[in-house]
Amino acid sequence: MSFTYDQLKTAIQDYTENDETSFVTNIPTFIRMAEERILKNVQLSLFRKNATAPTTANIKFLACPSDFLAPFSLSLAGTNGDKFFVDFKDPSFIQTYTPDATTTGPPRYYSVFDVDNFILAPTPDIAYTAELHYFYRPASLTAGSGSGTTWLSENAEMAMLYGSLIEAYIYMKGEQDVMGMYAGRFQEAITGIKMLGEAKETTDQYRTGMVIRTKQ
């Protein structure tokens, strides 16, 4: 089973039996909040992205992608094309390591300087090709057409539905027992997604064997 945008909106109304105008207007917000819950609770390859950009010689800053949330790794390649990885550090370490920004060389460390820039140390001596592997927020289901789908609406439909229902019931100031039921179903769905994103996507049976659960 999977949801299109229109199907999910309809399901939310059917479960809550609410077609009041302001409630219907806020359904896209409920869906985005459910997506945010999943984003912040599960590591999925869906939330990983790669981008490349050149550094600038004698400039210690490298611009972050516009959709950047957090780094996974940063590598640089010089004129010979050989790639090397740089280590992530705190900004205070960076500025202690090279207090003089005119000190140049192949960068060894990087840090998030502000919401728009990384800082490199030492300052790049030449233009390197930077490849950033990073955490980002994919486009919301609500950004597409009524017949549109996303990876989450196709593969995490329970989490999308019950996460949206939690937000809808908060809006409605609904009964606590129903809220608890929705929260439990959402947590059950999150557990399944975590198994996919944090176990199955990160291992294979050749190296680690099959997942073995404790016998009851």
Side-chain angles (χ1 to χ4, degrees):
M1 176 184 175
S2 65
F3 285 118
T4 65
Y5 182 26
D6 280 344
Q7 288 171 338
L8 182 55
K9 289 191 293 184
T10 299
I12 293 168
Q13 286 186 262
D14 289 345
Y15 272 71
T16 57
E17 298 181 330
N18 192 339
D19 59 2
E20 190 268 326
T21 301
S22 65
F23 177 85
V24 174
T25 299
N26 279 285
I27 287 178
T29 301
F30 306 152
I31 295 172
R32 288 194 295 271
M33 292 302 98
E35 292 170 330
E36 190 72 10
R37 284 176 180 264
I38 298 170
L39 177 75
K40 297 298 174 57
N41 281 281
V42 186
Q43 294 188 51
L44 290 168
S45 58
L46 170 69
F47 304 136
R48 293 173 176 259
K49 191 174 182 181
N50 271 58
T52 59
T55 67
T56 303
N58 303 314
I59 299 296
K60 63 181 179 179
F61 297 111
L62 173 66
C64 299
S66 59
D67 55 1
F68 171 82
L69 292 178
F72 288 119
S73 67
L74 177 66
S75 66
L76 302 176
T79 54
N80 60 4
D82 291 343
K83 181 184 294 188
F84 61 95
F85 285 86
V86 291
D87 293 329
F88 185 76
K89 295 289 185 180
D90 186 81
S92 60
F93 176 93
I94 298 290
Q95 303 210 42
T96 301
Y97 180 74
T98 51
D100 183 356
T102 63
T103 301
T104 63
R108 295 183 57 190
Y109 305 106
Y110 78 108
S111 181
V112 177
F113 184 75
D114 57 30
V115 294
D116 296 316
N117 295 282
F118 298 109
I119 185 171
L120 304 169
T123 300
D125 53 339
I126 60 172
Y128 293 89
T129 299
E131 181 176 357
L132 177 70
H133 190 49
Y134 66 100
F135 179 52
Y136 86 113
R137 179 181 288 104
S140 171
L141 178 64
T142 63
S145 66
S147 60
T149 61
T150 62
W151 189 96
L152 287 177
S153 75
E154 291 179 341
N155 298 282
E157 62 273 13
M158 278 186 60
M160 289 286 286
L161 173 61
Y162 288 106
S164 299
L165 288 173
I166 290 171
E167 299 300 330
Y169 241 59
I170 291 172
Y171 178 86
M172 294 170 59
K173 301 176 178 62
E175 296 88 348
Q176 288 300 308
D177 58 338
V178 177
M179 179 81 76
M181 179 187 68
Y182 288 156
R185 295 301 300 272
F186 177 74
Q187 190 56 51
E188 177 186 341
I190 285 292
T191 299
I193 303 172
K194 286 176 76 69
M195 176 64 75
L196 171 65
E198 298 170 20
K200 294 178 180 177
E201 282 191 340
T202 58
T203 60
D204 64 19
Q205 291 185 16
Y206 175 71
R207 293 294 182 187
T208 63
M210 294 182 65
V211 175
I212 300 175
R213 294 186 173 89
T214 304
K215 292 182 179 180
Q216 300 297 322

